[in-house]
Amino acid sequence: METTEKSVHVLNDLIEINNDRIAGFEKALADINDENADLKVLFQEYATQSRKNSQELTALVAGHGSDVETGTSVSGGLHRAWIDVKSLFGGSDRESILDEAERGEDAIKAAYKKALTEGELSASAVDTVTAQATEIKSAHDKIKALRDLAS
């Protein structure tokens, strides 16, 4: 597979996991009760972040003249983490909600790390993916800190 094809494949994987993340946070938003209203605000922010990420990644894929993934992932592994997580949100146990959110954030953080270290990204993609990875790490760290406070 040539570098451009590899780069497009990695970018499409990142689009899928961002879409999975959106689906997970939207499920959490629907299930979280009012006593955790602060998490609703935070999860809405992170769903919006992943929408922006997907749009930026879509522009990069389209710039390569390639087809863009528009759905969530269909195979196992890292990409399924948010889909699996979304069924586990119970709504009332703050620590459990944050545990599951952190698990999803671990998966997307790992996907970005892999993309940057093994993804053979095109030069045009490196800056965008690096900036998104920084935002993802910050979101992960925030959720982890909240989880630590809840335990």
Side-chain angles (χ1 to χ4, degrees):
M1 195 183 306
E2 71 178 59
T3 301
T4 299
E5 287 178 36
K6 288 179 184 177
S7 183
V8 166
H9 179 74
V10 169
L11 294 171
N12 273 322
D13 284 349
L14 292 177
I15 290 169
E16 286 180 340
I17 199 165
N18 271 286
N19 290 343
D20 288 348
R21 185 179 186 232
I22 293 164
F25 278 131
E26 286 178 347
K27 175 62 176 160
L29 287 165
D31 291 345
I32 292 174
N33 60 29
D34 290 341
E35 73 186 42
N36 290 308
D38 64 316
L39 296 182
K40 285 186 175 189
V41 172
L42 188 66
F43 290 178
Q44 183 64 9
E45 175 186 335
Y46 293 157
T48 299
Q49 179 186 69
S50 274
R51 281 186 194 89
K52 177 187 71 76
N53 289 351
S54 289
Q55 290 170 349
E56 291 174 353
L57 296 167
T58 295
L60 289 170
V61 171
H64 287 297
S66 298
D67 292 334
V68 176
E69 288 296 332
T70 58
T72 56
S73 56
V74 292
S75 62
L78 277 180
H79 303 297
R80 294 297 294 173
W82 263 112
I83 296 301
D84 295 339
V85 166
K86 73 180 190 174
S87 66
L88 300 174
F89 284 100
S92 61
D93 179 358
R94 185 177 181 88
E95 185 177 359
S96 295
I97 293 166
L98 290 165
D99 276 341
E100 296 308 322
E102 184 184 1
R103 192 167 71 96
E105 293 299 278
D106 285 343
I108 195 168
K109 189 173 92 170
Y112 271 85
K113 180 178 180 182
K114 183 177 180 182
L116 288 167
T117 58
E118 302 172 21
E120 298 184 43
L121 293 172
S122 64
S124 62
V126 171
D127 288 343
T128 299
V129 173
T130 299
Q132 289 181 4
T134 300
E135 292 175 353
I136 293 290
K137 182 184 179 318
S138 177
H140 169 274
D141 293 350
K142 172 84 174 179
I143 287 174
K144 182 180 185 316
L146 288 169
R147 196 258 354 249
D148 290 347
L149 284 173
S151 56

